[in-house]
Amino acid sequence: MSFLAFLLLGLIAGAIAKLILPGRQGGGWFVTLLLGVVGAILGGWLGSMIFGVGLENFWDLSTWLLAIGGAIIVLLIYGLIVGRGDRVRE
């Protein structure tokens, strides 16, 4: 997959992950892009380790499910880290 396609996959996967998770997550489109790309990398790594499937094809359903699943995991971790900072300030 090309670098631009991977960035597009990350941006869309991050946006879908934000829509799936309840609550209010901070960050704009750049943070969504970063979390989505990191999530896609994590999802691809986990998919290759557990299922033997990676992120080779842009239009493959498994690619999208792995990227979105990884983005959800990264978004949950990001929410835990950023959420602690908000509680300290209050």
Side-chain angles (χ1 to χ4, degrees), residues 5 18 38 48 52 55 65 83:
K18 278 191 170 185
V38 171
S48 66
L55 301 176
L65 293 177

Side-chain angles (χ1 to χ4, degrees), residues 58-82:
F58 185 78
W59 296 111
D60 193 13
L61 180 63
S62 65
T63 297
W64 286 92
L65 293 177
L66 289 171
I68 293 168
I72 288 172
I73 292 169
V74 171
L75 192 59
L76 286 171
I77 294 170
Y78 175 76
L80 290 173
I81 293 170
V82 173

Side-chain angles (χ1 to χ4, degrees), residues 14-28:
I16 291 172
K18 278 191 170 185
L19 289 175
I20 291 173
L21 288 177
R24 190 173 156 218
Q25 294 88 17

Side-chain angles (χ1 to χ4, degrees), residues 3 5 9-13 20 22 24-25 29 34-35 37 48 50 52-53 58 74 79-81 83 88:
F3 182 71
L9 173 69
L11 179 63
I12 295 171
I20 291 173
R24 190 173 156 218
Q25 294 88 17
W29 68 271
L34 287 177
L35 293 175
V37 169
S48 66
I50 297 171
V53 178
F58 185 78
V74 171
L80 290 173
I81 293 170
V88 171

